[in-house]
């Protein structure tokens, strides 16, 4: 009789921070120099789908296939996740002899993203969250999302926040073993469900002409970084949690924009300087400023991760004023077709008014944006029966 | 008999800071939140030429003509300079009855810049330094450049540094009346005469698409600004003075680049953010980094004022590696013809090597730079007999 192929599948979301993670106090454990906070985005639009499986019949080494390509799993980060999850499984097996010894079997993991990998969206957060959640399901671990966030953090720092839906914080913690550096849910998606996000994906040609050096260079060389980590972010974490609790978009938006600017300011203060914002990014900022000026209050908020793509948060009730304007300006770009995009009418009137203030910026956006993605706040990882590995242990392409 | 026309003329230099002035603790007196330090540039390349005159026969109000156009002199800044200089003259007149009462006569000032006003070079520094120096000459004031710097500062903060040649600091001071917020010479031009500067003037079309909001918004809204003013700049002022005393270009260049980045970082951390660097600026940074990498040490240092123009400092002995590379890349732009430019050979070999690292940046520079200016460290204001006002009190166009 052939050995059993054990399988479990999940999907996990992307998250986009509104208080940024930048700087590690422990690079090995991915322990951050400051807390952070993100919005989990809907998996209908952006998700990683992962099947974890194990079997005594598998070749002896663990393997991972992402989007059809074999990945190296020998890296310390992936190994840390495998090791921690196996240890949790082994503790259960040690207490119950009737259980199959899954912790001793080789792992085979297959993963697929439903978004263009070329888009420059940080897919590692969804990837490691899905990997950890799928293996936890496979091992039938009773672990909470908090406990799993501690493990996912070791794969990719911001992955810990993708273990929860809605509005999610990551407490920096103080323990040297990282045991208290975990994610927590500030509020579920249902608390403030009308949060939308428009992502302006910048053309590859418009990307960084400068350094691609990382966050540890900032920690080592930026003279402004210390005050960001020690003073600015702790204050903003409180302001942001309050804004979310009170569903106060103006406060949410202002802190979001200021924190994005602060993060990129410390990148620029790095030596040599790190630039993620380009002229397209600046144009997106200008257009958001114009939208807010026209509205007389903050109804749109930009944020930028480590790249030129703008993520613009807004509330559903302001869709015409925000996404509608961008549809009028960028309607010919990919991404407007589908359930979310069809519902948005191009707002030519708002665009005409915006041109008075921001015609150069609007031209620059047209030139520099390659596609758009429409999404909104969403749920955490979702168990699925759709397997990417068949009964014989072979990868399936969906 | 016609009344005497009293006249005196001077030229004054532009200065480009290597430790930036940004933020006022007293906007009326132009008292800064931090000290700063600059290199005075040669007047052979960039200067304001100013003639000050006065006469009892002049129409009753003071007047100023700049580059052939009448300027408004009613502003508080110009008025402060006129008032302070008249007070110093009056004190002398009060002690010596034989002197003509120049302090009671209307002033007529005529000024001309020898550089393109569209270049976006901060001409107010040279302008107010020349205005103050010319009137001081007219009034035969015994005032030192230090004393005159206190007056010029009230016209335009950075103008105080243009009262000296060479390497010039501006001590922020602590007195509420600004009496100790004056310029001082760190070293004369002759101490380190081989300092060169290449200015890459960015095309107008490439300029700021975003906010043009000023330094007081940074003081009010940037959470990182306080640590720059309180900690970063005081440390760098010491490092920079030591580098100049020791003619240590590597230290000079590193602090120059880091301080420019720090200044622009606090601009980006302003709410709403202020952007002066654009993709052309970033390309210039990348090319300078490539030059330094190829040299194995810092031989070129970029700095940016409140605009996208790069000022690149280097030593004469590295002209082929720095300016020579830019001549190979940007040889078709205006500015290479003349005494300084003719001496520079286009360094095609260095350009070819740089292309491996920075081909996108080099293309971006070609697209975004409109002209170049070659200059170097130079002297402070120079008295001249060339008058811009004739014996009858009429403006002369040279």
């Amino acid at each position: 009789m052939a050995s059993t192929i054990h399988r479990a599948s999940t999907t996990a979301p992307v998250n986009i921070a509104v208080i940024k993670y930048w700087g590690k106090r422990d690079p090995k454990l991915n322990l951050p120099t400051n807390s952070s906070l993100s919005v989990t985005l809907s998996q209908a639009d952006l998700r990683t789908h992962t099947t974890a499986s194990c079997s005594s019949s598998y070749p002896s080494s663990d393997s991972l296939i992402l989007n059809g390509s074999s990945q190296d799993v020998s890296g310390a980060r992936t190994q840390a996740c495998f090791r921690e999850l196996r240890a949790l499984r082994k503790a259960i097996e040690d207490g119950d002899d009737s259980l199959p010894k899954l912790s001793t079997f080789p792992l085979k993991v297959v993963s697929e993203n439903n978004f263009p990998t070329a888009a420059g969206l940080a897919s590692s957060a969804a990837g490691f969250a899905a990997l950890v959640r799928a293996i936890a399901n496979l091992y039938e671990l009773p672990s909470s999302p908090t406990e799993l966030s501690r493990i996912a953090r070791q794969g990719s720092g911001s992955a810990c926040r993708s273990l929860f839906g809605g509005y999610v914080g990551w407490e920096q913690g103080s323990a040297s073993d990282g045991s208290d550096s975990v994610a927590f849910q500030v509020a579920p998606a249902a608390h403030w469900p009308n949060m939308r996000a428009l992502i302006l994906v910048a053309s590859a040609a418009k990307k960084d002409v400068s350094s691609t050096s990382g966050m540890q260079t900032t920690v080592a060389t930026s003279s402004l970084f210390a005050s960001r980590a020690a003073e600015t972010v702790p204050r903003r974490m409180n302001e942001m949690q309050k804004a979310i609790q009170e569903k106060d978009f103006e406060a949410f938006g202002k802190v979001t924009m200021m924190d994005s600017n602060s993060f990129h300011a410390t990148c620029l203060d790095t030596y040599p300087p790190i630039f993620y914002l380009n002229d397209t990014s600046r144009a997106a900022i200008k257009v958001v400023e114009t939208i807010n000026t026209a509205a007389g209050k903050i109804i749109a908020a930009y944020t930028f991760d480590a790249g030129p793509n703008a993520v613009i948060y807004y509330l559903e009730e302001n869709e015409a004023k925000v996404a509608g304007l961008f549809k009028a300006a960028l309607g010919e770009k990919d991404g407007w077709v589908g359930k979310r995009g069809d519902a948005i009418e191009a707002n030519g009137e708002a665009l005409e008014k915006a041109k008075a203030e921001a015609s150069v910026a609007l031209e620059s956006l047209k030139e520099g944006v390659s596609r758009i993605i429409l999404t909104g706040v969403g749920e955490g990882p979702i168990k699925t029966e759709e397997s990417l590995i068949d009964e014989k242990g072979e990868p399936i392409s969906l």
Side-chain angles (χ1 to χ4, degrees), chain A:
Chain A
M1 181 190 133
S3 308
T4 313
I5 305 290
H6 302 269
R7 297 176 297 164
S9 297
T10 192
T11 60
V14 165
N15 70 75
I16 298 287
V18 290
I19 306 272
K20 302 295 188 190
Y21 157 50
W22 193 254
K24 304 175 201 241
R25 67 174 197 276
D26 182 327
K28 190 164 160 282
L29 291 171
N30 278 343
L31 300 180
T33 48
N34 58 254
S35 296
S36 55
L37 202 150
S38 55
V39 179
T40 294
L41 299 182
S42 170
Q43 296 174 63
D45 309 301
L46 300 166
R47 55 134 188 82
T48 297
H49 178 179
T50 295
T51 299
S53 76
C54 63
S55 171
S56 60
S57 70
Y58 279 170
S60 65
S61 59
D62 301 330
S63 68
L64 168 62
I65 295 175
L66 171 62
N67 291 338
S69 302
S70 268
Q71 307 292 307
D72 179 15
V73 295
S74 68
R77 302 201 175 284
T78 309
Q79 285 296 315
C81 293
F82 287 176
R83 186 175 59 244
E84 293 257 11
L85 291 159
R86 279 192 165 109
L88 291 174
R89 170 69 189 182
K90 182 157 190 303
I92 298 170
E93 291 166 358
D94 286 352
D96 182 351
D97 266 356
S98 73
L99 293 174
K101 300 284 182 283
L102 301 190
S103 67
T104 66
F105 298 169
L107 281 160
K108 186 182 287 189
V109 182
V110 176
S111 226
E112 286 192 355
N113 295 331
N114 71 340
F115 51 90
T117 48
L121 293 163
S123 53
S124 63
F128 272 104
L131 176 101
V132 169
R133 182 75 262 182
I135 298 174
N137 293 351
L138 176 73
Y139 288 169
E140 297 180 330
L141 302 180
S143 309
S144 66
T146 303
E147 173 66 3
L148 296 182
S149 80
R150 190 186 58 76
I151 298 174
R153 184 203 74 229
Q154 297 171 63
S156 170
S158 56
C160 72
R161 297 188 310 243
S162 277
L163 267 303
F164 290 93
Y167 303 85
V168 186
W170 170 13
E171 174 57 42
Q172 64 183 97
S174 57
S176 60
D177 67 355
S179 52
D180 57 354
S181 187
V182 294
F184 62 98
Q185 191 174 58
V186 175
H191 166 73
W192 203 6
N194 47 334
M195 181 68 72
R196 293 284 175 270
L198 165 66
I199 306 175
L200 307 179
V201 181
S203 313
K206 280 280 171 184
K207 269 192 186 165
D208 193 22
V209 295
S210 180
S211 172
T212 54
S213 194
M215 55 175 85
Q216 290 317 90
T217 319
T218 303
V219 178
T221 65
S222 167
S223 71
L224 304 177
F225 179 77
S227 81
R228 165 173 166 79
E231 292 160 36
T232 308
V233 169
R235 185 180 71 244
R236 287 187 182 152
M237 281 295 289
N238 290 332
E239 291 168 358
M240 184 58 89
Q241 287 177 75
K242 184 164 175 283
I244 291 167
Q245 295 305 349
E246 297 174 357
K247 295 183 258 188
D248 175 352
F249 189 87
E250 285 214 71
F252 171 90
K254 186 166 181 185
V255 175
T256 294
M257 293 187 280
M258 290 184 91
D259 197 72
S260 175
N261 294 336
S262 165
F263 153 51
H264 291 282
T266 64
C267 289
L268 173 48
D269 190 48
T270 301
Y271 184 80
I274 301 171
F275 292 97
Y276 293 119
L277 306 182
N278 62 19
D279 284 356
T280 305
S281 316
R282 293 170 57 191
I285 289 173
K286 177 69 181 171
V287 173
V288 168
E289 287 173 350
T290 306
I291 289 170
N292 290 334
T293 301
K297 60 180 180 174
I298 295 171
I299 61 167
Y302 55 79
T303 186
F304 298 83
D305 277 357
N309 296 345
V311 176
I312 300 167
Y313 287 115
Y314 61 94
L315 296 180
E316 192 176 8
E317 54 261 42
N318 293 314
E319 191 139 67
K321 289 179 183 160
V322 184
L325 183 148
F326 282 101
K327 194 174 188 181
L330 303 170
E332 80 281 12
K333 305 289 178 186
D334 281 349
W336 294 105
V337 174
K339 195 180 67 143
R340 289 189 192 271
D342 293 342
I344 299 167
E345 204 170 324
N347 188 339
E349 195 182 342
L351 176 62
E352 283 313 308
K353 280 183 189 156
K355 277 182 182 167
E357 290 269 306
S359 68
V360 175
L362 286 160
E363 280 309 307
S364 180
L365 271 193
K366 244 186 208 173
E367 203 186 304
V369 169
S370 66
R371 58 173 288 124
I372 67 100
I373 295 169
L374 285 161
T375 184
V377 64
E379 306 298 332
I382 300 167
K383 201 174 231 176
T384 173
E385 293 309 310
E386 274 193 280
S387 183
L388 297 173
I389 296 176
D390 69 17
E391 290 162 6
K392 292 173 181 162
E394 294 302 315
I396 301 166
S397 199
L398 291 185

